[in-house]
Amino acid sequence: MEKYDVVVIGGGPAGYVAAIRAAQMGFNTLCVDRFKGKDGKYSLGGTCLNVGCIPSKALLDSSKHFDHMNHSYDVHGISFDNPKMDVATMIARKDKIVKQLTGGIAQLFKANKVKYIGGSGKLLKDRQVEINNDEGSQVVQGEHIILASGSVPISIPNVEIDNEYILDNAGALDINAVPEKLGVIGGGVIGLELGSVWNRLGSKVKVFEAMDTFLAACDQGIAKMAARTFKKQGLDIHLSTFVKSATIKDGKVEVVSETNGEKTTEIFDKLLVAVGRKAETDGLLADDCGIKLTERGQIDVNDDCQTSVPNVWAIGDAVRGPMLAHKGSEEGSAVAERIAGQHGHVDFNTVPFVIYTEPELAWVGKTEEQLKEAGIDYKVGSFPMAANGRALAMNEPTGMVKILADAETDELLGAHIFSANAADLLSECVVTMEFKGCAEDLSRIIHAHPTLSEAVFEAAMNVDKRAIHKAN
Ligand code: FAD
Ligand code: NAI
């Protein structure tokens, strides 16, 4: 039986980072991953690289260019005769980026001497792993095992995914022609990002959201501004609305929904189901392997990502915490470092969140609602993008930056940005929070002019009512 210091099951952003970090520190490391790409070949990178973060951003970018041609270029004096979108070219560009990046992970594995086997891994007892693929079955022994099996979409009753008419995230990334009418169940991150893609390309998009609050996890001041903006862009978002059934009839999808007791029946060309994801443990755990699951079906881990079995660790979407690539990767590095006797650390208070709509929504730390609920006294500083010179020069005046700081100590407690490039603007707030910095620290750093980052600078100054380019 082959023996390894570390066996990682799952080669997504959690697993592949753990494997590379373990190998960097001299461990003989194996990574097993079963994901197969569109060509039927094993493909590293997990959900994120194959059917998640990267392909969705590729389509968001293509559709943004098309949208700008249709709606924004005229203000610059640029005109076109009837711009056209060739969907097949857009999808092929996305597939090429996916191939390049997933192939890049395989190269990184080679460079770091991580052994990679395409196939399904099952944890047996005593840290043995059974690997099954087209070539057969084998069992390997690991000194340490890292479970990084990721997540899969949640399904809802009476709505069966076929990925031709009723789609999950993978299907929605591969639509071959712009649907005239697209229904989206779930007004969360995937619903808004992929709904935006097809809305920009010309689909009439209706979003069915069960909650009565739009983006309940976001700061509500920012979420309300975002809701108004998305509505103007054409996203038809219906809150407190539950889909009761979806039926494929004559090449269309009939959707029955209910809002406050009132039933509606509508016909869509395609329906995207994006109602959240759940930990993937299918085929991962032998009955006697000793791993405990939580009530929600996640692999049960302590703060250090240790499972109920000694030397077996679990990370990423398969365990508690936000389902984000960068959270999984941080856990992957931290666990590899703990195995090496170091002090790997993940700070859950400073995980950045981003929704890649246009403008982007990005935030870190606490919202105003959370601070109120916790009874923490806080100060608010804000700055509108419409008063930022660079934003106006870019024709991106929508949005604002909001900074929340402790009323007494001025420590930065949260930052909430709705603006062009918000994801990148957020980084300095994350750094400030990580260093336990305060709003004044942010406002005493020189920011280049003219930049969008000056809006963060001014919002931080506004905390102490000394913003220069707005009335305080
Ligand atoms: P995964 O990426 O799911 O990887 C797990 C891997 O393990 C998969 O390849 C799976 O096939 C494999 N596996 C499972 N079981 C076994 C087994 N028994 N044997 C072998 N292999 C197995 N996050 C962000 O941070 N930013 C974004 O912009 C973003 N965009 C997203 C867009 C979409 C449409 C979706 C669906 C998700 C997005 N996410 C984003 C979330 C992100 O993709 C996940 O948080 C991330 O991929 C989780 O990483 P992971 O390694 O834990 O799991
Ligand atoms: P989500 O949790 O973001 O949103 C799901 C939405 O569906 C919620 O608003 C929920 O209230 C609603 N919902 C649930 N059941 C419903 C029902 N029966 N009818 C109508 N609405 C219903 O989940 P989503 O969008 O599926 O994304 C899954 C995860 O993937 C996210 O939680 C996120 O962690 C990750 N992701 C991250 C991205 C990013 O970082 N930019 C992009 C896309 C996904």
Side-chain angles (χ1 to χ4, degrees):
M1 191 191 309
E2 280 184 20
K3 290 190 172 149
Y4 295 90
D5 298 327
V6 179
V7 178
V8 184
I9 305 181
Y16 83 72
V17 168
I20 290 175
R21 193 73 194 102
Q24 279 174 351
M25 290 184 295
F27 293 115
N28 178 23
T29 305
L30 166 70
C31 181
V32 187
D33 188 281
R34 69 182 175 198
F35 191 94
K36 285 186 177 173
K38 278 163 86 173
D39 57 5
K41 294 186 181 149
Y42 288 111
S43 178
L44 279 164
T47 303
C48 174
L49 267 60
N50 290 286
V51 288
C53 324
I54 298 299
S56 59
K57 268 74 244 176
L59 298 191
L60 278 158
D61 218 59
S62 296
S63 59
K64 180 173 110 174
H65 288 296
F66 184 68
D67 186 58
H68 282 203
M69 285 178 91
N70 281 315
H71 299 115
S72 322
Y73 280 2
D74 54 344
V75 301
H76 297 281
I78 306 168
S79 58
F80 302 88
D81 283 337
N82 196 17
K84 287 194 185 63
M85 169 54 84
D86 179 30
V87 173
T89 303
M90 176 182 78
I91 299 289
R93 184 189 92 97
K94 179 264 297 179
D95 289 342
K96 197 171 157 205
I97 295 165
V98 168
K99 197 124 200 99
Q100 189 177 339
L101 286 172
T102 54
I105 306 299
Q107 292 302 321
L108 286 172
F109 273 8
K110 274 195 192 126
N112 285 283
K113 302 196 172 52
V114 174
K115 183 164 177 194
Y116 161 44
I117 299 179
S120 202
K122 178 186 265 187
L123 180 69
L124 311 177
K125 62 179 181 179
D126 301 328
R127 298 188 313 277
Q128 293 185 352
V129 175
E130 180 187 296
I131 302 169
N132 287 292
N133 57 23
D134 298 343
E135 282 155 35
S137 184
Q138 60 171 308
V139 175
V140 299
Q141 175 75 54
E143 186 59 30
H144 287 265
I145 309 288
I146 302 177
L147 305 173
S149 51
S151 62
V152 287
I154 292 176
S155 52
I156 53 175
N158 306 322
V159 182
E160 204 174 312
I161 307 280
D162 70 337
N163 266 335
E164 193 179 347
Y165 298 102
I166 304 181
L167 317 167
D168 60 14
N169 57 293
L173 290 163
D174 265 334
I175 301 177
N176 56 15
V178 180
E180 206 178 305
K181 281 185 79 184
L182 173 69
V184 176
I185 313 182
V189 197
I190 296 180
L192 291 174
E193 289 189 0
L194 295 182
S196 293
V197 166
W198 297 102
N199 176 48
R200 292 169 191 171
L201 299 183
S203 293
K204 277 202 177 88
V205 179
K206 174 164 180 177
V207 180
F208 302 89
E209 168 56 50
M211 303 262 284
D212 58 3
T213 310
F214 180 61
L215 291 178
C218 285
D219 185 279
Q220 282 304 296
I222 297 272
K224 287 198 172 82
M225 185 181 251
R228 282 195 299 275
T229 307
F230 300 153
K231 194 174 172 196
K232 261 194 231 156
Q233 290 171 358
L235 286 181
D236 184 17
I237 300 167
H238 291 249
L239 301 179
S240 308
T241 302
F242 296 80
V243 168
K244 294 287 170 193
S245 68
T247 318
I248 300 164
K249 278 187 187 163
D250 305 327
K252 305 259 181 195
V253 190
E254 185 184 271
V255 175
V256 179
S257 64
E258 191 175 308
T259 312
N260 302 323
E262 201 170 301
K263 278 202 174 143
T264 310
T265 303
E266 281 159 290
I267 306 291
F268 294 91
D269 297 285
K270 305 269 181 192
L271 179 70
L272 163 61
V273 186
V275 293
R277 296 175 67 83
K278 59 177 185 189
E280 167 70 305
T281 52
D282 195 25
L284 177 72
L285 306 168
D287 291 342
D288 59 354
C289 73
I291 296 291
K292 284 193 190 132
L293 299 182
T294 66
E295 273 177 7
R296 297 180 59 196
Q298 297 163 324
I299 300 170
D300 197 16
V301 287
N302 67 10
D303 288 351
D304 286 344
C305 292
Q306 283 170 332
T307 68
S308 45
V309 178
N311 288 7
V312 180
W313 311 74
I315 56 177
D317 279 12
V319 304
R320 83 285 175 263
M323 290 184 163
L324 296 172
H326 40 280
K327 174 265 190 183
S329 297
E330 275 302 290
E331 286 180 332
S333 288
V335 162
E337 287 165 11
R338 284 170 199 142
I339 290 173
Q342 299 178 9
H343 298 280
H345 177 245
V346 181
D347 186 352
F348 277 90
N349 297 314
T350 55
V351 177
F353 293 82
V354 181
I355 305 179
Y356 292 85
T357 43
E358 205 186 9
E360 293 172 353
L361 276 147
W363 71 96
V364 61
K366 301 275 186 262
T367 62
E368 276 206 75
E369 292 74 27
Q370 287 169 330
L371 291 174
K372 275 184 194 140
E373 203 181 314
I376 297 171
D377 268 351
Y378 63 94
K379 302 179 281 184
V380 187
S382 66
F383 194 79
M385 298 315 289
N388 174 275
R390 186 70 196 279
L392 291 189
M394 290 165 68
N395 192 32
E396 301 278 6
T398 307
M400 68 183 284
V401 178
K402 189 197 255 193
I403 299 284
L404 304 173
D406 188 283
E408 198 181 329
T409 64
D410 194 41
E411 183 179 338
L412 196 62
L413 300 176
H416 304 271
I417 308 179
F418 182 51
S419 80
N421 301 3
D424 298 297
L425 296 184
L426 187 72
S427 286
E428 65 170 315
C429 303
V430 180
V431 172
T432 306
M433 281 184 65
E434 196 58 53
F435 283 94
K436 300 268 176 246
C438 49
E440 187 178 352
D441 291 325
L442 261 182
S443 72
R444 301 252 177 226
I445 296 167
I446 301 178
H447 288 69
H449 175 74
T451 55
L452 297 176
S453 71
E454 286 172 295
V456 176
F457 180 53
E458 292 268 7
M461 286 198 278
N462 182 238
V463 170
D464 282 332
K465 307 301 160 221
R466 55 188 186 83
I468 301 298
H469 295 94
K470 84 168 224 184
N472 287 291

